[in-house]
Amino acid sequence: MEFPPEPNNLPKISILKGATPNLSAATYCIQEEGHTLGNALRWMLMKNPQVEFCGYRSRRIDDLPPSSIDVSLYPPSMALIKGQGTFFEFTAKSEPKIHVRIQIPDVFSFVPYRRAPHTPDDASSLDALLDALKNLDDLFATIEDAYTKSFHWGTFERFDEIEDGDAPPPASTLSS
């Protein structure tokens, strides 16, 4: 699986410092992604019986400015609370990347009962990550196919949104 470089010229996936030499435990940085992929990827990784631990995080940027700084310098997600002279953050801003930690039982572990019997000796967290990404890709393709077929054949329910103050449609249009 090959990933194109991101606009900031960083690789899409990189291994962070601190990984074990055999990659039985490693933290991966995935650029330009957030909680949407992070949560789905963690779910898919934990379905793999070889994975002992998996977690992800999308770091929040804590950049609340002091009240003496001009409001116009900050993004629209920040707003001034009237009368208090302090800033309130409406939406949490995150870095455009996620860190995914994956651990599989180590072949050289001195605790033999921790090693799953079906884990191959050459298994690595990188293999688990790539398998999970492929499985997610297959899952999303299946969902897209089902959606496309349903849309093409018209086998879906339609709902008309009624806003406050609008009269409901006549009864003759509600029955099908």
Side-chain angles (χ1 to χ4, degrees), residues 5-52:
E6 289 301 310
N8 54 11
N9 291 328
L10 294 173
K12 180 70 175 177
I13 299 176
S14 58
I15 302 173
L16 300 180
K17 291 180 182 178
T20 58
N22 63 353
L23 292 180
S24 63
T27 302
Y28 299 90
C29 180
I30 304 176
Q31 296 290 332
E32 301 299 324
E33 298 296 345
H35 288 291
T36 303
L37 178 69
N39 194 29
L41 185 59
R42 187 195 62 78
W43 175 77
M44 191 60 77
L45 280 161
M46 289 309 297
K47 291 181 73 61
N48 183 342
Q50 294 178 358
V51 174
E52 185 176 54

Side-chain angles (χ1 to χ4, degrees), residues 12-176:
K12 180 70 175 177
I13 299 176
S14 58
I15 302 173
L16 300 180
K17 291 180 182 178
T20 58
N22 63 353
L23 292 180
S24 63
T27 302
Y28 299 90
C29 180
I30 304 176
Q31 296 290 332
E32 301 299 324
E33 298 296 345
H35 288 291
T36 303
L37 178 69
N39 194 29
L41 185 59
R42 187 195 62 78
W43 175 77
M44 191 60 77
L45 280 161
M46 289 309 297
K47 291 181 73 61
N48 183 342
Q50 294 178 358
V51 174
E52 185 176 54
F53 171 82
C54 176
Y56 82 96
R57 75 174 188 166
S58 178
R59 284 188 17 180
R60 181 187 153 135
I61 302 171
D62 291 322
D63 60 339
L64 293 175
S67 59
S68 61
I69 297 179
D70 185 11
V71 181
S72 64
L73 300 176
Y74 291 92
S77 66
M78 314 280 276
L80 185 63
I81 298 175
K82 292 183 179 178
Q84 294 181 3
T86 58
F87 286 89
F88 178 77
E89 190 172 2
F90 286 118
T91 58
K93 296 182 341 178
S94 298
E95 291 180 316
K97 63 183 174 183
I98 58 173
H99 292 173
V100 180
R101 176 73 176 178
I102 306 169
Q103 291 176 211
I104 61 170
D106 193 354
V107 175
F108 304 107
S109 173
F110 293 105
V111 185
Y113 62 85
R114 292 188 64 198
R115 180 151 178 82
H118 51 272
T119 304
D121 290 345
D122 60 347
S124 73
S125 60
L126 180 59
D127 294 333
L129 176 64
L130 294 177
D131 287 345
L133 288 170
K134 183 187 179 312
N135 291 341
L136 275 177
D137 193 38
D138 294 344
L139 176 66
F140 295 149
T142 301
I143 292 170
E144 182 182 17
D145 290 345
Y147 174 81
T148 303
K149 287 177 187 174
S150 175
F151 186 76
H152 175 71
W153 292 106
T155 57
F156 55 89
E157 294 185 44
R158 294 178 187 258
F159 294 97
D160 292 327
E161 292 186 26
I162 300 174
E163 295 190 22
D164 293 339
D166 290 347
S172 62
T173 62
L174 293 177
S175 60
S176 338

